[in-house]
Amino acid sequence: MASPSIIRVIDLETTGDAPPQHGVLEIGWQDVALGADGRWELYGEGGSRMVNPGRPIPPITQAIHHILDEQVADAPYWIDVARPVLDPYPRRLALAAHRADFEQQFCTPTLTHGADWICTWKCALRLWPDSPSFSNQVLRYWRKPERLVHERGLPAHRAFPDAYVTAHHLRDMLNEASVAQLIEWSNQPGLLPRVRYGPDRGKEWSEIAEDSLAGFLTDRDPDIRFTAETELARRRGGGAVGRANMQGLLL
């Protein structure tokens, strides 16, 4: 029986967040596939590989993932590891990651064969706006995804466990929305459900006054600007934005 098409969820542990001065230490992956019953589910065992970053690991990042220099000293370099993991041709439909903008800095189009990406963080903002936060781990404990083996998703901030947790979020997203829709949302800035700071912090964007909304239109954060612009367009007759709520459906 032919292997199904997959979306490969990945997670990277790195020496920092600004390549090329920072490098990859570890990559983890977990596949999600569409079953014969029309439902998406985790597929295969996934895995991880250590990577030699070609530079010392700063203590500030070691304190997050606890990977030591001696653990990666004999590992292959990123150029030798990346392509086989990122491009399992011909079965891969897309790549996915939580906060995928970070992974995309290291997983360039050359290494991914021009893959489409799904950002589970951006999609969670759209599909689950009531979550108290949108980190991978908060979503894990707030949502409690079915069949997530607790111990297999630990320790946090290591590549395979994080990819494994993200794959459960992606599976549930794919069972709510299409691949094309998730990719479209991922190609846009994040649509934030609540105001992040200031006197209106914690309010939904539809609740704040027009002058407060105008102040966010020039914010340095592209997610905040995009959200303010989208809310302004909605107020000017552009139609409802994001997931419809029960009150809106009744009206």
Side-chain angles (χ1 to χ4, degrees):
M1 187 174 180
S3 298
S5 295
I6 60 169
I7 295 176
R8 175 154 289 183
V9 179
I10 68 157
D11 183 82
L12 301 181
E13 302 304 329
T14 67
T15 64
D17 60 4
Q21 58 263 46
H22 294 131
V24 176
L25 297 169
E26 185 181 32
I27 182 169
W29 67 92
Q30 173 65 63
D31 296 337
V32 180
L34 182 64
D37 60 355
R39 301 284 293 176
W40 290 85
E41 191 52 83
L42 271 66
Y43 178 80
E45 291 299 308
S48 65
R49 290 196 69 182
M50 289 293 199
V51 180
N52 186 331
R55 68 212 75 195
I57 307 171
I60 196 167
T61 56
Q62 283 183 315
I64 297 170
H65 47 59
H66 304 286
I67 298 174
L68 305 176
D69 291 285
E70 52 266 34
Q71 292 177 303
V72 296
D74 296 325
Y77 291 104
W78 179 233
I79 191 68
D80 300 313
V81 173
R83 191 64 178 269
V85 175
L86 298 174
D87 186 20
Y89 180 83
R91 299 184 296 119
R92 187 205 63 198
L93 298 175
L95 292 169
H98 202 73
R99 292 275 193 175
D101 287 349
F102 174 79
E103 268 75 12
Q104 286 179 267
Q105 294 181 96
F106 298 90
C107 303
T108 61
T110 300
L111 295 175
T112 67
H113 203 182
D116 287 317
W117 284 82
I118 294 172
C119 175
T120 52
W121 177 76
K122 290 180 180 178
C123 294
L125 297 173
R126 304 272 192 158
L127 292 171
W128 307 317
D130 296 333
S131 176
S133 178
F134 298 91
S135 74
N136 205 30
Q137 298 300 326
V138 169
L139 287 170
R140 167 191 188 166
Y141 292 110
W142 181 70
R143 298 185 55 249
K144 298 179 173 61
E146 291 184 2
R147 297 183 295 283
L148 191 158
V149 179
H150 181 74
E151 292 75 12
R152 195 161 167 77
L154 294 173
H157 306 302
R158 287 297 300 267
F160 172 74
D162 283 359
Y164 174 76
V165 171
T166 302
H168 284 79
H169 301 322
L170 177 65
R171 174 201 64 190
D172 295 344
M173 291 170 178
L174 288 163
N175 288 323
E176 289 191 46
S178 68
V179 174
Q181 180 65 84
L182 298 185
I183 291 172
E184 180 182 341
W185 286 337
S186 300
N187 286 333
Q188 299 173 348
L191 186 65
L192 307 172
R194 294 177 291 277
V195 178
R196 282 179 170 173
Y197 67 85
D200 293 312
R201 180 181 178 180
K203 291 183 179 180
E204 295 185 8
W205 289 85
S206 59
E207 298 178 304
I208 70 175
E210 194 90 3
D211 58 342
S212 296
L213 181 63
F216 290 112
L217 295 173
T218 55
D219 197 276
R220 294 178 61 184
D221 188 317
D223 298 325
I224 292 176
R225 289 200 309 272
F226 175 73
T227 303
E229 291 163 359
T230 303
E231 172 58 20
L232 184 61
R234 187 193 67 81
R235 295 184 186 192
R236 290 178 175 174
V241 174
R243 189 178 62 174
N245 58 32
M246 187 57 68
Q247 182 180 9
L249 292 174
L250 291 173
L251 294 174

